[in-house]
Amino acid sequence: MAKRIIITIDGWSSCGKSTLAKQLAKELGYTYIDSGAMYRAITLYFLRNRIDWTDDMEVKNALNEIHLHFEPNNKFGESEIFLNDENVEYLIRDLIIADKVSDIAAIASVRTFAVTQQQKMGHNKAIVMDGRDIGTTVFPSAELKIFMTADIATRVERRFKEMFEKNPNVVLEDVKHNLEMRDYIDSHREVSPLKKAEDAIVLDNTNIDMDQQLKIALDLVKQPIH
Ligand code: DC
């Protein structure tokens, strides 16, 4: 039996990290964890409960009230996130959440809360996790680290199409602004900013399709570097 490994996929917003992570998990029979969903669910809780996230104590008290877990969706087999036992998988994809999530994900206590849980999920290996700091902070010793990128116009177009299917009122300029803003905040924050781990392999998918990117990643999994 092939050795069970940890695969990390980091990169800019909307460059296809979750698509590749899901493809890989399916092919390898691994568990896929969307770490961004955790930051989004925390953001939803903060917005709903009007938490002042500039106040450290208020943030710490709020985090004590938050329980997050993932469950596989019966129809598609993909995992969905639950916030205090409520399935919030679809709610957290809204632009209202995307607008605030980078600010909240930059708070040190929020990151400690999420990273501790993410590390526990990797105890048995056989996991593909995507995010911004998975190869650098969450699993610095992961056997395979991929850093994904794609040019900004391609990313905006992909995210716009995805959002337009759910909400035809979405505006292209708003999507572009949101992506640029998140890229900036995510890569400039003090705690665990988005950056390529030294030993990560760059995968630019601007000009390749989903099958090609899967093939490249599967070849990396097969390489005897782990
Ligand atoms: O992957 P995503 O777009 O769902 O992530 C939402 C936000 O969460 C993203 O703008 C940055 C933050 N994030 C993070 O800081 N660290 C991670 N490991 C994953 C996401």
Side-chain angles (χ1 to χ4, degrees), residues 122-138:
H123 270 166
N124 295 326
K125 303 242 176 182
I127 186 174
V128 187
M129 191 178 287
D130 76 338
R132 305 294 186 291
D133 62 336
I134 311 303
T136 51
T137 303
V138 182

Side-chain angles (χ1 to χ4, degrees), residues 37-39 41-42 66-70 81-84 113 117:
M38 299 174 72
Y39 295 101
I42 296 167
I66 296 179
H67 177 74
L68 301 175
H69 77 279
F70 289 91
I81 191 158
F82 285 69
L83 166 64
N84 296 339
F113 174 86
Q117 296 180 37

Side-chain angles (χ1 to χ4, degrees), residues 4-7 31 33 115-129 138-139 142-143:
R4 293 149 63 91
I5 62 169
I6 292 181
I7 303 173
T31 302
I33 302 290
V115 169
T116 309
Q117 296 180 37
Q118 289 155 7
Q119 288 172 333
K120 280 195 192 135
M121 295 175 199
H123 270 166
N124 295 326
K125 303 242 176 182
I127 186 174
V128 187
M129 191 178 287
V138 182
F139 298 122
E143 288 84 354

